[in-house]
Amino acid sequence: MSDESFDWHDFLRRWQEEWVPDADEAADAGGDDEASRAAVPLGGPGAPESAVVAAEERLGRRLPPSYRQFLTASDGWQVDQTAGIYRLGGAADIGWFQDPYDMTSLYEEGLGDDPHPEQVLLAGMWRRALRLETDSDMSHALLDPGDRDQDGEWALYVYKGWSGEYPDRYPSFRAYMEAMYRSFHADRAAGPGFVNATTRTQDARVEEARVLALRGRHERARALLEEAMAFGRPHSAVLLNQIRHLLDPRSPRDYGMPVADPQYLSDLLPVLAMTPARGEWRLGGDDHWLGMTVARGVAPEVAEAVLGALRDGTHHYAPPGPWGRAVAEARQAALWGETDLAWRVLRDALALWEPPGPLLIAPVGLLADPLLGPLVTPERGREILATPRAGATGPAPEPVPDLDPPGLAWLTEPAVGRQPHDGFRCVWVQGADSARLPALIGEEGAALSAPTDPRAAARRAPRPHEREGVELWEDRAVVAVGRTSRGWAFAFDGGAFHLSGLFSSPAAAASSVGRAVVVWCDPRSPFPGDRPAAFHVSVAEQGEELWAFTVQGDEIRRSGAIPEALDPARLFPPLPPRDPGADVRPGAGPDTAAAAEADGEQDRARRALEALHTELGLSLPRFALTEGRLRTFTTRSWTRAPGPEEGFAYGYISVGRSPR
């Protein structure tokens, strides 16, 4: 950072002219003469060049440029900041720190075997550093000649001895002083009458940033708001946090006092409640969060209702006008798993969004909607910010690609919430209303749940031994319900157990309203001694099964007239023989032969899933099933009762506290 164009005289004069005591200083000073209290000199005349040279000769090296120029503008300065540094000395006051507390040994002990260069610099700083402060609260301002940049500037470290924290690093003395000037402003920003040329300039930049943000120029707006927030300017934080939140939708953000403003409450309070609703609030639980919210002016019953709706998934983001109608349409699409369609509806309507007041620059309330919030990825958040809205004009951003891959092959690939060896089973019904699936294949009294995480719903479902009237041989699945882009209704279970000999396909029962397809994929995990992978397909129409096949290892069972493109002999060629002596390698986990066989089985499953997509048009929405919320219901048993000569096994693991 070159200091040649920086005017230290102008910078320090402006700081002096704007200086007023903070609330504590004013109280300590007493009296009503504000002008006299504000006239405290922060600095003094600059040191002559001869004094600076004398200091350099005494220290044995030339001072860094920005600090040297500062001394010639003011020979010392009252910083008076909460960091504990009260005054910086002049040329005659500075001296080597010499590490009187042996901080070097402490920091060297923590370096480890492969320390970062920054850690090495910090450990050596204590014995090299030049101490600048002459008045402080157990704190030190230290310039490190060993931490230099290309312009010859030395890094400045502020060590707060009372904090137990690492020192704060500034790249140069000038950077430190500019930060302290901003901090001086931020400490006094809320005080009455603190108005000057700098506050007026920063407030104008906040308004400029608001306009730029609505035009889609969020990067420039963000830079202006970050600077204004450093000066403590009103509204800069709430505007900036909207940009930051959409760029990182899963990170919590605090919107301050506007959450209680009737203009913004319906947008911002649910967003504030997202963290405790997810169980991630660590500061005293719900009571602390509710207390904090009520302290900002939110009625207790309102805060409790919003938190409850977020927690049980019933909250709806419902803005007014054309944007609100698009939100409702998108919710219906997302409700059935069509999340890419839902996002396209929202994207097309973004320009119609209108803020309820000047402090809202983006539809951040969308993030709290349990169905639509998960759709806002960081890329889509950036797309929202880059889209002109609220009547503003500007170029539209390039649309973000859809998230769902076509077809079914993604089920054999690593993805969020899934592993390649995870099994699944699914029923598709062509042209059917998804809401009718519980009546077709559900257990008695089955009904669609509220939208929920389908994986969590399956984990929480009671097992046969926990349900009265359910036989142990029954295999009832909790399935997620939705529809595909080609008009198939589906019921999906991503936690399927192995395909047993008692399997009874639900295809015929599902086909009374349209063609039905059942697929059960039971891949084998790559561990020795496991059962072979299994893959089943059955197709039915008008209550009758047309054809089916089941593949287990290299064994194929078939029935009916299977289309040539779906012939299991083509889709599941024999696996290469495996050396049985290579099954176990002591202490090494799954061996390479078993892993290779599992890979081969996975390739065969992928080939079959690709053929089912090509020939029958089957697909599943990855995003909705792995990261979204869908309705669920419990099916009838996927297994039949065992015959007189048949047996079955049932087992479960109970996890609990062992007796003492």
Side-chain angles (χ1 to χ4, degrees):
M1 178 184 67
S2 175
D3 213 56
E4 294 178 1
S5 61
F6 187 73
D7 190 332
W8 278 99
H9 290 278
D10 179 70
F11 173 67
L12 298 175
R13 175 190 54 77
R14 186 168 68 251
W15 193 340
Q16 177 71 73
E17 290 175 352
E18 295 172 351
W19 191 85
V20 295
D22 62 21
D24 291 338
E25 291 166 337
D28 291 342
D32 298 321
D33 189 353
E34 186 72 24
S36 64
R37 294 200 303 273
V40 173
L42 302 181
E49 177 69 15
S50 58
V52 176
V53 171
E56 291 175 330
E57 291 176 348
R58 172 170 56 85
L59 297 169
R61 63 187 313 153
R62 184 176 177 83
L63 296 171
S66 65
Y67 182 58
R68 202 175 194 281
Q69 292 177 23
F70 159 77
L71 289 175
T72 61
S74 178
D75 195 23
W77 193 258
Q78 179 180 324
V79 184
D80 201 13
Q81 293 301 302
T82 56
I85 305 296
Y86 301 145
R87 188 161 192 87
L88 301 174
D93 302 311
I94 57 177
W96 297 114
F97 183 57
Q98 297 180 331
D99 193 11
Y101 314 115
D102 195 21
M103 301 297 292
T104 302
S105 298
L106 179 65
Y107 277 73
E108 285 180 344
E109 287 176 4
L111 286 179
D113 296 331
D114 187 22
H116 293 291
E118 295 83 359
Q119 295 174 304
V120 176
L121 276 174
L122 181 57
M125 180 270 297
W126 307 97
R127 291 175 182 166
R128 296 188 302 260
L130 185 66
R131 179 184 55 80
L132 305 186
E133 85 287 344
T134 57
D135 186 14
S136 70
D137 178 15
M138 296 177 63
S139 300
H140 302 283
L142 306 172
L143 274 175
D144 181 12
D147 188 352
R148 304 169 53 124
D149 66 12
Q150 67 274 14
D151 297 315
E153 293 289 356
W154 303 359
L156 187 146
Y157 291 85
V158 172
Y159 174 60
K160 295 165 281 192
W162 40 264
S163 72
E165 301 171 352
Y166 282 96
D168 296 326
R169 181 187 182 277
Y170 302 86
S172 68
F173 178 79
R174 172 185 160 187
Y176 165 72
M177 289 292 281
E178 289 180 312
M180 294 304 99
Y181 174 65
R182 293 190 293 267
S183 179
F184 148 71
H185 265 267
D187 287 346
R188 292 155 176 79
F194 186 65
V195 178
N196 49 58
T198 300
T199 63
R200 287 189 288 269
T201 296
Q202 291 300 325
D203 288 343
R205 289 178 178 175
V206 170
E207 176 58 21
E208 180 187 357
R210 190 187 70 83
V211 173
L212 287 170
L214 294 176
R215 291 176 181 170
R217 298 180 58 190
H218 62 95
E219 293 176 341
R220 174 58 181 157
R222 180 180 183 179
L224 290 173
L225 291 170
E226 286 175 339
E227 181 182 16
M229 190 171 76
F231 279 90
R233 299 318 303 156
H235 312 319
S236 57
V238 68
L239 297 177
L240 178 60
N241 275 338
Q242 294 170 64
I243 296 175
R244 288 175 170 174
H245 207 166
L246 285 167
L247 292 174
D248 188 5
R250 303 299 175 259
S251 64
R253 295 292 170 187
D254 190 351
Y255 291 97
M257 300 305 292
V259 298
D261 189 318
Q263 290 185 97
Y264 310 112
L265 186 146
S266 62
D267 282 87
L268 297 183
L269 183 58
V271 176
L272 187 68
M274 289 170 62
T275 301
R278 290 193 297 252
E280 298 173 0
W281 186 263
R282 301 295 183 226
L283 300 176
D286 288 0
D287 289 343
H288 182 85
W289 182 85
L290 289 167
M292 178 199 72
T293 307
V294 170
R296 295 179 179 181
V298 180
E301 62 274 15
V302 172
E304 290 177 357
V306 168
L307 180 57
L310 261 292
R311 186 161 281 153
D312 63 24
T314 59
H315 169 71
H316 282 185
Y317 171 59
W323 168 246
R325 291 191 289 274
V327 168
E329 181 183 347
R331 181 179 291 107
Q332 283 302 307
L335 184 66
W336 300 110
E338 296 179 292
T339 54
D340 282 334
L341 173 61
W343 177 251
R344 290 194 292 270
V345 170
L346 293 172
R347 177 170 60 203
D348 292 345
L350 273 172
L352 304 175
W353 175 79
E354 292 288 343
L359 294 187
L360 221 59
I361 54 175
V364 291
L366 187 67
L367 298 175
D369 190 286
L371 277 175
L372 300 178
L375 275 58
V376 185
T377 62
E379 295 76 17
R380 286 172 169 174
R382 185 176 294 275
E383 186 174 12
I384 291 174
L385 292 171
T387 300
R389 51 203 180 274
T393 59
E398 190 71 21
V400 173
D402 287 348
L403 295 179
D404 282 334
L408 301 168
W410 66 267
L411 287 157
T412 65
E413 300 168 355
V416 175
R418 288 190 60 81
Q419 296 297 324
H421 55 268
D422 284 350
F424 76 91
R425 52 188 168 184
C426 188
V427 181
W428 288 265
V429 184
Q430 193 170 30
D433 182 351
S434 300
R436 292 198 60 187
L437 291 178
L440 295 174
I441 61 172
E443 65 178 7
E444 184 177 355
L448 291 176
S449 72
T452 187
D453 180 345
R455 297 161 295 171
R459 289 193 298 268
R460 292 193 299 263
R463 302 299 178 241
H465 67 279
E466 299 170 326
R467 298 189 60 188
E468 185 176 353
V470 175
E471 300 290 343
L472 293 181
W473 52 261
E474 291 191 67
D475 179 13
R476 304 191 188 193
V478 175
V479 291
V481 180
R483 62 179 175 235
T484 74
S485 59
R486 297 193 185 182
W488 291 81
F490 69 80
F492 176 87
D493 173 21
F497 295 100
H498 73 278
L499 186 67
S500 77
L502 300 179
F503 168 65
S504 177
S505 172
S511 69
S512 61
V513 295
R515 191 183 200 192
V517 180
V518 169
V519 175
W520 187 323
C521 180
D522 177 20
R524 187 192 62 169
S525 60
F527 291 93
D530 271 8
R531 64 187 182 278
F535 196 97
H536 169 86
V537 179
S538 49
V539 178
E541 287 185 8
Q542 299 179 351
E544 297 290 335
E545 186 171 281
L546 300 180
W547 59 267
F549 69 77
T550 302
V551 179
Q552 289 184 302
D554 286 336
E555 178 188 355
I556 298 176
R557 299 187 300 274
R558 63 172 72 210
S559 64
I562 301 173
E564 182 179 358
L566 296 172
D567 185 346
R570 295 180 54 186
L571 300 176
F572 294 85
L575 293 167
R578 178 171 142 200
D579 178 6
D583 275 352
V584 180
R585 188 175 51 176
D591 68 281
T592 54
E597 185 169 340
D599 289 344
E601 290 170 338
Q602 184 174 309
D603 289 341
R604 299 198 306 176
R606 183 184 297 109
R607 188 182 302 112
L609 293 174
E610 289 172 346
L612 287 166
H613 170 60
T614 301
E615 299 302 317
L616 302 180
L618 301 182
S619 63
L620 284 170
R622 180 177 67 185
F623 190 87
L625 290 170
T626 59
E627 298 188 56
R629 301 172 74 93
L630 292 171
R631 292 178 168 183
T632 65
F633 71 93
T634 302
T635 69
R636 302 168 201 163
S637 177
W638 288 61
T639 55
R640 58 175 174 79
E645 303 299 325
E646 295 177 313
F648 73 95
Y650 174 78
Y652 67 94
I653 299 174
S654 177
V655 179
R657 184 176 295 177
S658 61
R660 293 188 177 182

